[in-house]
Amino acid sequence: MSWFYERLIRPALFTQDAEKAHERTMRALALISRNELLSEFVESFFSAPPLPVEISGLKFPNPIGLAAGMDKFASALPAWEALGFGFTELGGVTQYPQPGNPGPRLFRAVTESAIVNRMGFNNPGAEAMAEALSTWKAAGRWPQHPVGINLGKSKVTPLEKAADDYAFSVRALWRYADFFVVNVSSPNTPGLRQLQDKRALTEILEAVRRVQEGAKPVLVKVSPDLSFEALDELLDVAVSQKLAGIVATNTTTARPETVNPENQKIYAEEGGLSGAPLRARSTEVIRHIYRQTKGKLPIIGAGGVFNADHAWEKITAGASLIQVYTGLIYKGPALAKEIVSDLLRRLEESGIKQLHEAVGTAN
Ligand SMILES: Cc1cc2nc3c(=O)[nH]c(=O)nc-3n(C[C@H](O)[C@H](O)[C@H](O)COP(=O)(O)O)c2cc1C
């Protein structure tokens, strides 16, 4: 299936502008999502075997999830389950609807399996997202796997008022989310990453907690560009605020060395880099968090996961769950199924019965 995608479909998609290709793909997935028969047809090809994981009282049918940023409008919610994902993170969503940065704002460095984006939280706003989600619920198309919602800050909201912006979205979306991810690590909203600072983050998490009618798990998503010192301060906040976990990591503003002139041009674009060049650093961050918290704080690992080896590297470094974004673009729709199947094989070979026994074992 991957062969088919990489040889036939991807070349056709990659002749198109990156954002146009994304929009077309999302339209196709939205169409599939609205049609139960089509969804079942897709599921018959792509569903993944069970590899259950339980975290914060949530049951994940498998550990491979869709990362934030792919489905910012919740337009294809049922499709992600049909494509074999064990959970979906929708958004990032902000209090106010906003168009994001002017285009072009999404770029592929194809020969290095990377993407640079400066989307800037283009999204319909928390209330419109809630409406979209209520439509899926009413139509009986809600997935059986956990659904998380990624929260950003509106561009018009000043940094001092950030807590109100996040709290507004939590209130609007509370009934739909199985968990929330407070994203303070996107490089594409000016000043956002300053919110990883102890005081600002505490204020946001307290505001989020105040609007919660009952406790839903809240995680914080971190930047791979934080120093380990800054990360340790953030982990103090995570413990004192009783966070359910950390998502590690978002995209990086760092760039790899390259001699390829095409890629040099892409890497010169402003924005966050994802995909293969991010892989090692995000694993390093996962490993650090796992060690510092003695494995007590669940970690969702993201950054350059394209196959089961990459997922295994992050799991054994300390991640309990994995997310993919760029891998899906380069490897295609069978990615979740392939990773889960290969992970299962690997567990059987090493005589491990449950995935959680492998978490952090490389440390
Ligand atoms: C186009 C694009 C948009 C993204 N939007 C968001 C977002 O809104 N919120 C967020 O927390 N992360 C966002 N991300 C980051 C991804 O969720 C993920 O953390 C990162 O891309 C690393 O994983 P990957 O190498 O598998 O892509 C975005 C990534 C891309 C490529």
Side-chain angles (χ1 to χ4, degrees):
M1 195 54 88
S2 264
W3 183 92
F4 185 74
Y5 176 82
E6 283 173 54
R7 299 292 191 294
L8 295 169
I9 298 178
R10 195 177 85 180
L13 278 173
F14 279 16
T15 58
Q16 306 168 32
D17 162 73
E19 191 169 352
K20 278 271 161 336
H22 171 77
E23 282 167 359
R24 287 198 177 115
T25 307
M26 287 306 300
R27 272 204 296 276
L29 291 173
L31 185 94
I32 290 166
S33 295
R34 288 193 297 271
N35 185 312
E36 213 168 325
L37 267 179
L38 267 179
S39 297
E40 279 170 17
F41 181 71
V42 168
E43 194 160 355
S44 69
F45 282 101
F46 297 110
S47 72
L51 179 54
V53 178
E54 190 170 338
I55 285 169
S56 296
L58 296 173
K59 290 188 163 73
F60 300 79
N62 75 62
I64 308 301
L66 181 77
M70 183 71 85
D71 195 356
K72 294 189 188 226
F73 294 77
S75 54
L77 179 56
W80 307 116
E81 184 174 48
L83 290 176
F85 286 102
F87 62 108
T88 298
E89 189 176 326
L90 300 169
V93 70
T94 57
Q95 173 173 3
Y96 302 106
Q98 56 181 37
N101 289 322
R105 52 191 184 174
L106 185 61
F107 310 89
R108 310 179 192 97
V110 178
T111 55
E112 288 168 24
S113 303
I115 285 179
V116 172
N117 95 83
R118 53 167 177 273
M119 302 302 288
F121 291 148
N122 56 310
N123 83 94
E127 283 172 330
M129 166 78 100
E131 229 174 281
L133 294 177
S134 82
T135 309
W136 290 126
K137 274 240 150 115
R141 306 285 293 127
W142 198 263
Q144 295 195 357
H145 68 207
V147 175
I149 297 181
N150 182 279
L151 308 171
K153 177 194 78 70
S154 312
K155 196 174 178 192
V156 294
T157 301
L159 282 178
E160 321 78 82
K161 292 263 194 289
D164 297 344
D165 200 286
Y166 287 96
F168 180 95
S169 298
V170 170
R171 198 178 298 117
L173 292 158
W174 190 82
R175 65 165 75 189
Y176 301 107
D178 293 310
F179 64 94
F180 287 104
V181 177
V182 172
N183 172 15
V184 280
S185 48
S186 165
N188 300 314
T189 295
L192 190 86
R193 293 185 301 168
Q194 291 170 33
L195 301 174
Q196 292 176 114
D197 170 71
K198 201 168 195 162
R199 230 181 64 197
L201 185 61
T202 304
E203 202 181 310
I204 292 168
L205 295 174
E206 281 174 351
V208 163
R209 212 171 36 209
R210 274 197 298 276
V211 301
Q212 291 221 58
E213 297 159 38
K216 294 223 174 167
V218 175
L219 295 88
V220 166
K221 185 161 179 180
V222 300
S223 162
D225 304 328
L226 279 182
S227 66
F228 283 164
E229 209 178 7
L231 198 54
D232 291 346
E233 284 210 2
L234 186 146
L235 293 175
D236 286 344
V237 179
V239 172
S240 64
Q241 292 292 318
K242 301 193 173 60
L243 279 188
I246 301 283
V247 183
T249 68
N250 214 313
T251 57
T252 177
T253 54
R255 297 290 186 265
E257 296 275 339
T258 181
V259 288
N260 179 314
E262 290 285 313
N263 295 338
Q264 279 169 355
K265 256 193 275 172
I266 302 297
Y267 293 157
E269 294 287 350
E270 211 173 288
L273 175 83
S274 58
L278 174 61
R279 185 178 305 138
R281 174 64 189 172
S282 72
T283 302
E284 214 183 309
V285 171
I286 291 165
R287 194 183 308 286
H288 181 80
I289 297 170
Y290 186 87
R291 283 186 178 152
Q292 289 301 97
T293 59
K294 303 194 169 57
K296 291 201 179 90
L297 196 60
I299 301 166
I300 301 182
V305 173
F306 285 50
N307 59 38
D309 285 346
H310 304 153
W312 187 251
E313 178 188 291
K314 283 182 164 52
I315 290 165
T316 55
S320 296
L321 296 166
I322 297 291
Q323 288 181 322
V324 298
Y325 186 129
T326 307
L328 195 57
I329 291 169
Y330 283 97
K331 305 298 276 186
L335 182 63
K337 176 184 184 169
E338 282 174 5
I339 297 179
V340 176
S341 307
D342 289 350
L343 281 177
L344 264 173
R345 210 165 302 137
R346 194 179 276 247
L347 288 179
E348 272 163 26
E349 278 164 16
S350 41
I352 299 175
K353 291 212 169 53
Q354 302 203 0
L355 191 69
H356 72 84
E357 293 167 36
V359 174
T361 49
N363 296 314

